[in-house]
Amino acid sequence: MADPHQFFDDTSSAPSRGYGAQPSSGGLGYPSPSSPPEAAFLADPMSNMAMAYGSSLAAHGKELVDKNIDRFIPVTKLKYYFAVDTVYVGKKLGLLFFPYLHQDWEVQYQQDTPVAPRFDINAPDLYIPAMAFITYILVAGLALGTQDRFSPDLLGLQASSALAWLTLEVVAILLSLYLVTVNTDLTTIDLVAFLGYKYVGMIGGVLMGLLFGKIGYYLVLGWCCVSIFVFMIRTLRLKILAQAAAEGVPVRGARNQLRMYLTMAVAAAQPLLMYWLTFHLVR
């Protein structure tokens, strides 16, 4: 029996065909359920055109960035200088400490292109200089720590000083090569590689100084200074003087004499910088 206080009958549980009933899916006169917004967006031709244009624009932007990066930072060339293996690293370190035993200093070529460093011990690389620089900073921090002088600012000054001297060396050599009018295949990256080899001897000197005091430091650093001098002379003379001989420049000519002086100056600067950057680390 109906409640006398109820104004309307409860028809929610009873089937009804009135206005309150839900329209059947796909029925005549009733709209079908609406599709998701994503599907409607993808079905729109204008949205498809916008997505295609956006993809092409992104691809074009990536290509433009890659070109500019390769223009200012030759990534492809850098891969060549890091193409090393364990055997090459071991032989190269031996060459840096004992260059007197090495005879053939010619860089090998394959179809006018120098072979990768792992196939030629005479080829310059950036792996050893980069690792040697990082190790030098770590060893410098160790030396400062053993003397109770370690601080992040002092370690940062040590690293920035070494980088500043390396940059100054590269700029000075490039300027000298330009003034002496040397046509050589010696690139800026080659200079960074050759100049970075001195960090290997610096590490050895500082470590021996930590273990055996100043006597060990001077003995090992002196040996490494003479070794790097011989290494630079025998390496750079093939890059600078051999090119002059190919150009037909007289051996005793004024221009050739300047090239010889430049080669010796670059080689002589390495021991001086090795001592300057390490003498304060050993006490």
Side-chain angles (χ1 to χ4, degrees):
M1 181 177 293
D3 188 358
H5 299 286
Q6 185 174 352
F7 290 98
F8 302 99
D9 294 335
D10 185 8
T11 59
S12 59
S13 59
S16 173
R17 303 298 297 177
Y19 293 103
Q22 296 294 329
S24 60
S25 175
L28 296 177
Y30 295 94
S32 58
S34 60
S35 59
E38 294 83 358
F41 177 78
L42 294 176
D44 188 3
M46 293 299 296
S47 64
N48 292 335
M49 292 179 59
M51 291 181 63
Y53 178 75
S55 301
S56 63
L57 188 63
H60 179 69
K62 182 179 181 299
E63 181 181 359
L64 186 63
V65 170
D66 292 340
K67 287 183 178 180
N68 288 332
I69 289 179
D70 192 66
R71 178 181 177 184
F72 296 102
I73 304 176
V75 179
T76 305
K77 293 182 179 180
L78 287 178
K79 291 180 180 179
Y80 164 83
Y81 291 92
F82 285 94
V84 301
D85 55 12
T86 307
V87 177
Y88 168 83
V89 173
K91 290 182 178 181
K92 193 73 169 189
L93 292 177
L95 179 61
L96 293 174
F97 285 107
F98 304 98
Y100 327 99
L101 305 177
H102 194 58
Q103 300 297 329
D104 184 15
W105 293 84
E106 291 284 347
V107 177
Q108 300 179 14
Y109 284 81
Q110 184 177 8
Q111 298 180 353
D112 298 333
T113 303
V115 299
R118 64 174 175 267
F119 301 120
D120 184 13
I121 191 176
N122 297 322
D125 72 283
L126 286 178
Y127 176 80
I128 293 178
M131 294 297 103
F133 177 81
I134 296 174
T135 307
Y136 160 69
I137 300 302
L138 295 177
V139 171
L142 176 63
L144 294 173
T146 56
Q147 302 167 14
D148 295 330
R149 296 190 297 139
F150 177 82
S151 69
D153 295 337
L154 191 58
L155 189 63
L157 180 63
Q158 191 75 22
S160 59
S161 178
L163 283 178
W165 279 110
L166 180 63
T167 305
L168 183 61
E169 281 185 280
V170 173
V171 173
I173 295 173
L174 291 177
L175 181 61
S176 301
L177 291 174
Y178 173 77
L179 294 177
V180 183
T181 64
V182 177
N183 296 322
T184 177
D185 59 351
L186 191 65
T187 64
T188 305
I189 304 179
D190 291 338
L191 287 176
V192 173
F194 289 132
L195 298 176
Y197 287 135
K198 63 175 170 285
Y199 296 118
V200 176
M202 294 163 57
I203 295 169
V206 175
L207 287 178
M208 291 300 102
L210 293 176
L211 295 176
F212 304 105
K214 286 191 174 182
I215 296 179
Y217 166 75
Y218 283 114
L219 287 177
V220 175
L221 186 69
W223 176 272
C224 294
C225 286
V226 176
S227 298
I228 197 67
F229 179 81
V230 174
F231 173 83
M232 295 295 289
I233 286 288
R234 294 186 176 180
T235 301
L236 293 181
R237 69 182 177 87
L238 296 177
K239 295 289 186 178
I240 299 178
L241 299 179
Q243 187 68 27
E247 295 174 358
V249 178
V251 177
R252 298 185 179 276
R255 291 177 57 188
N256 203 35
Q257 291 292 330
L258 289 176
R259 296 178 182 187
M260 292 177 61
Y261 293 149
L262 176 60
T263 303
M264 295 186 65
V266 174
Q270 305 311 301
L272 296 177
L273 289 173
M274 291 171 66
Y275 175 75
W276 178 258
L277 293 173
T278 56
F279 79 97
H280 59 281
L281 297 175
V282 179
R283 291 185 177 182

